[in-house]
Amino acid sequence: MKNPIKGKNGEYLLTLAIETSCDETSAAVLKNGREVLSNVISSQTELHKKFGGVVPEVASRKHVENVDMVIQEALDLAGVSFKEIDQIGVTYGPGLVGALLVGVSVAKAMAYALNIPLIGVNHIEGHIYANFIEDPQLQPPFLCLIVSGGHSHLAYVKDYGEYEIMGKTRDDAVGEAFDKVARAIGLGYPGGPLIDQLAKKGNPEAIYFPRVYLENGSLDFSFSGLKSAVLNYLHTQRQKGKEIIVENVAAAFQQAVIEVLVNKTLEGARRKGADKIVLAGGVAANSALRQTLKMEAEKIGIKVKYPSLDLCTDNGAMIGCAAYYNYLKGYTADLYLNAVPNLKLGEVYENKTNYPQPHVHQIVDENVDNGDKR
Ligand code: KG4
Ligand code: ZN
């Protein structure tokens, strides 16, 4: 896709992106959609570790403390000033409502003050778009497996912003299952990377955990049964006074997850005749998933792509990339933009006013006028 829109500098668009949907405060500056000038991530992992998971209220407060500094650092690293920014993209869902509201409020205030367009970005879409940054040549269509702490989707990406959801989880997200099993075997938080490491030392065949495929032909996922099977195994072993080899539990659990993910993804690719599979989301960092999917897909002539590790976890750059393509489609938001904790992939923010091409300042001027009349 060509860039038909020129920024303030007369050449390219500069996007400032803000991401605060969970426990990472992040801001990035991008030149057009795919060139990252800066991507600053302030992680709260250490803060939440002692609670064994993200505490929403604590996350929101930390975002409030950090967000200004993170934005300033992103601008400084990119070597640009506020005035040079052409547009602001922000994650408005899905995620923790209080956490999302911090980014959304800051983005709205900045878009208003700078009189530039505001673009609301779907976090799941952001994860997919991390791949466009990783590989500047990548173009839709492709099949995408999105696996993170809060979501598991198998989506056929027909074009930029056009998705056919072929499958999704009916209960736990994949990352959630990793984190819960990690907690049960006494690992820290977040559990995914720790299971990934521990599984390398274990024997995946030592224990058999169920592979849940659901009804015939379904590409949906279900991981809560597998998680319960692991918990039952641990309980039984303890009751019988038998040794628990955590390396084997990690390896066997991980293998059960990966087998289902890979088989369903390959089936999805077959149904669509896709020649490319793209991985996205925090669990896309899993080394065994990356290797297995690549190996199995290549056997049937399908290419597999995934982002580098720092683009797999939550970051502002992926939000900036999605914001750019949304902007090209005319999806700008007004100042009524709000956090939508359960936003679905493919949902587009609808402006509340009738401006054909919403510009932030027009909408706000109208509100001010109304106020003055009262
Ligand atoms: O995408 P993400 O940063 O946040 C959400 O949007 O949810 O994903 C975080 C999830 C956590 O559950 C974490 O345990 C998991 O990704 N994760 C991993 C790995 N790295 C992160 N899971 C398995 N293997 C990994 N290497
Ligand atoms: Zn995420």
Side-chain angles (χ1 to χ4, degrees), residues 44 47-48 54-64 96 98-99 102:
Q44 303 177 8
L47 187 65
H48 297 283
V54 179
V55 182
E57 180 63 21
V58 174
S60 315
R61 284 165 190 253
K62 202 67 192 169
H63 285 310
V64 172
L96 304 169
V102 177

Side-chain angles (χ1 to χ4, degrees), residues 19 21 123 127 148-149 151 281-282 312-314 318:
E19 153 66 39
S21 68
H123 181 80
H127 275 303
S148 72
H151 327 280
C312 282
T313 40
D314 295 348
M318 69 186 197

Side-chain angles (χ1 to χ4, degrees), residues 3 5-16 29-32 80-89 111 114-119 327 332 359:
N3 170 27
I5 304 169
K6 303 208 184 306
K8 288 176 186 166
N9 56 56
E11 281 182 56
Y12 47 80
L13 277 179
L14 277 182
T15 304
L16 171 66
V29 177
L30 278 81
K31 191 170 163 182
N32 289 333
V80 302
S81 68
F82 277 114
K83 286 189 177 149
E84 290 170 88
I85 297 293
D86 292 300
Q87 55 180 5
I88 298 192
L114 297 169
N115 193 17
I116 54 176
L118 172 70
I119 298 124
Y327 185 70
T332 51
H359 283 293

